[in-house]
Amino acid sequence: MNNWCSLNKRFGCVVVILFLCSILCAQSIGGVGSMPENGEYQTVASLGGGYTAMFDSYLSENRYSGFNITCAYDNLYHRGKAKLFNHFEDEFLISLSRLTDQAKYSYSYALSFDAILKWDYKFFEDSKFTFYTGPGLATRLGVAYNPYNSNNPAQVKFFTMFAPHIAGVWRFKVADYPMALSVKSTIPLLGVTFAPDYGQLYYEMYEYDGYANSIRFAWPLLMPTIYNRISLDFPICNVLMRFSYNHNYSFYHYSDNTSALNNHSLTIGVVRTLKEIRYGK
């Protein structure tokens, strides 16, 4: 346990040092809260942590809760002469959690990777507000590991779904200090998910039924899922910072098997708006 804690501290120090170096080297180009135009693209790297709650009945019903470390990396591109969806976004979110059960007897580790691709249609913009919406694709790949479960210690969580989104940005000033508040919401609607039967072991799927029988149709009545983010952009010297509250919730109930994940995190990162480099031109 001491070796594990020492390793965690060393890893955390390295991550913090690299993150601080990226802040010191960053430069902010463009207005606060503005979307990239004329071949520009915007990139945001964030780091933070928060609280995770999980319910699972795969082998036996149990509730887990604990802290998480969250890393986010987002890109926003201007699509040049595109008439309808003139911006494209990709958002990546990695969350590592250490969770304890209700009786505080056992613990689990959970790792989730979320990738969301978005095509943006900007339907309103003035000097203070910008609103946009569009289609998207949301994918999650997660692993939960319980070292106390010798029979089937690891579980896999996966889905990919069509996910429309809507977002708004409010630009304002506090004592001549420019800021921007943005709100985003993404709701997956249709897709597929990996959902084994209650108590079904992975080797049983492989030997008897195959994994194909565990790939099921996903939609909000059986698998309600939502991604929310509230962000505040503010400049510090020559660096544009972004402080965000991230919330994602997913739930599914298939073949008497229920699973739910509720993830909250606070992240802070650096916003950079850069010129796109087109080779050969």
Side-chain angles (χ1 to χ4, degrees), residues 52-74:
T52 298
M54 183 176 70
F55 173 80
D56 194 78
S57 66
Y58 174 52
L59 294 178
S60 61
E61 291 189 4
N62 209 341
R63 296 181 183 274
Y64 299 86
S65 61
F67 66 90
N68 66 65
I69 298 173
T70 299
C71 300
Y73 187 75
D74 309 331

Side-chain angles (χ1 to χ4, degrees), residues 240-271:
L240 181 59
M241 305 295 297
R242 176 169 294 173
F243 180 76
S244 301
Y245 164 69
N246 308 283
H247 171 243
N248 60 74
Y249 173 81
S250 63
F251 173 91
Y252 76 71
H253 181 78
Y254 292 89
S255 303
D256 297 323
N257 186 16
T258 302
S259 179
L261 180 67
N262 199 6
N263 200 342
H264 305 264
S265 63
L266 297 174
T267 57
I268 187 167
V270 180
V271 183

Side-chain angles (χ1 to χ4, degrees), residues 194-197 200-216:
F194 175 70
D197 293 331
Q200 187 179 23
L201 302 180
Y202 289 174
Y203 75 86
E204 293 178 338
M205 302 178 211
Y206 178 77
E207 292 185 358
Y208 302 108
D209 299 324
Y211 289 101
N213 294 329
S214 299
I215 304 298
R216 306 173 190 270

Side-chain angles (χ1 to χ4, degrees), residues 37-48:
E37 300 290 345
N38 302 320
E40 297 175 337
Y41 72 97
Q42 190 177 88
T43 180
V44 187
S46 304
L47 179 66

Side-chain angles (χ1 to χ4, degrees), residues 71-267:
C71 300
Y73 187 75
D74 309 331
N75 295 291
L76 175 59
Y77 301 90
H78 180 238
R79 299 185 65 223
K81 298 180 180 180
K83 295 181 179 181
L84 185 58
F85 303 114
N86 47 17
H87 288 87
F88 172 76
E89 293 183 75
D90 54 54
E91 299 179 357
F92 303 98
L93 192 69
I94 301 175
S95 180
L96 175 63
S97 307
R98 187 186 188 278
L99 309 173
T100 307
D101 67 359
Q102 287 180 305
K104 300 189 182 300
Y105 171 74
S106 65
Y107 60 88
S108 296
Y109 295 101
L111 176 65
S112 63
F113 172 77
D114 292 276
I116 307 176
L117 307 180
K118 302 176 181 180
W119 289 262
D120 299 335
Y121 169 66
K122 186 166 53 177
F123 61 89
F124 178 83
E125 186 175 40
D126 62 12
S127 60
K128 291 186 176 181
F129 297 98
T130 301
F131 295 98
Y132 54 94
T133 186
L137 180 68
T139 301
R140 170 175 294 170
L141 177 61
V143 178
Y145 177 76
N146 186 345
Y148 290 87
N149 187 349
S150 59
N151 191 28
N152 199 50
Q155 299 179 44
V156 176
K157 308 291 184 180
F158 171 80
F159 68 76
T160 183
M161 301 176 70
F162 168 72
H165 66 282
I166 188 168
V169 181
W170 174 37
R171 292 172 288 274
F172 61 97
K173 290 185 178 181
V174 177
D176 292 329
Y177 196 71
M179 294 185 179
L181 181 68
S182 62
V183 179
K184 298 180 180 181
S185 186
T186 303
I187 304 177
L189 294 180
L190 297 172
V192 294
T193 184
F194 175 70
D197 293 331
Y198 177 77
Q200 187 179 23
L201 302 180
Y202 289 174
Y203 75 86
E204 293 178 338
M205 302 178 211
Y206 178 77
E207 292 185 358
Y208 302 108
D209 299 324
Y211 289 101
N213 294 329
S214 299
I215 304 298
R216 306 173 190 270
F217 177 71
W219 67 310
L221 289 183
L222 292 176
M223 189 177 170
T225 303
I226 189 169
Y227 295 89
N228 295 313
R229 176 180 291 177
I230 302 174
S231 301
L232 179 66
D233 290 8
F234 55 95
I236 298 180
C237 297
N238 199 35
V239 179
L240 181 59
M241 305 295 297
R242 176 169 294 173
F243 180 76
S244 301
Y245 164 69
N246 308 283
H247 171 243
N248 60 74
Y249 173 81
S250 63
F251 173 91
Y252 76 71
H253 181 78
Y254 292 89
S255 303
D256 297 323
N257 186 16
T258 302
S259 179
L261 180 67
N262 199 6
N263 200 342
H264 305 264
S265 63
L266 297 174
T267 57

